[in-house]
Amino acid sequence: MSTKAATQEIDAVIEAYGGDARAAVRELLADADFLRDQLYTASVLVSKGYARSWKPQYERP
């Protein structure tokens, strides 16, 4: 993603929260936590054969 596109995306997120950057960050962190929980649940429920020994990473390298 280009710097300009990233900046526009950031501006759109902040605008979606009425210009409140703290609220935007708070919600993005909550979304990331929710997705980590969903990834954990999926990794527990999916068989190792189906996933071909794939193991999720919960944080970016």
Side-chain angles (χ1 to χ4, degrees):
M1 177 181 294
S2 71
T3 304
K4 183 178 180 181
T7 300
Q8 290 172 337
E9 191 171 20
I10 292 166
D11 290 344
V13 169
I14 293 172
E15 185 178 328
Y17 287 90
D20 186 348
R22 287 182 182 269
V25 170
R26 185 173 31 256
E27 288 302 312
L28 289 171
L29 290 172
D31 287 346
D33 190 46
F34 171 77
L35 292 172
R36 277 189 209 94
D37 288 345
Q38 293 295 299
L39 182 58
Y40 173 76
T41 300
S43 69
V44 169
L45 296 175
V46 172
S47 73
K48 292 193 188 311
Y50 181 77
R52 299 178 190 257
S53 299
W54 171 81
K55 292 187 180 182
Q57 291 183 339
Y58 295 99
E59 300 295 330
R60 282 192 258 177

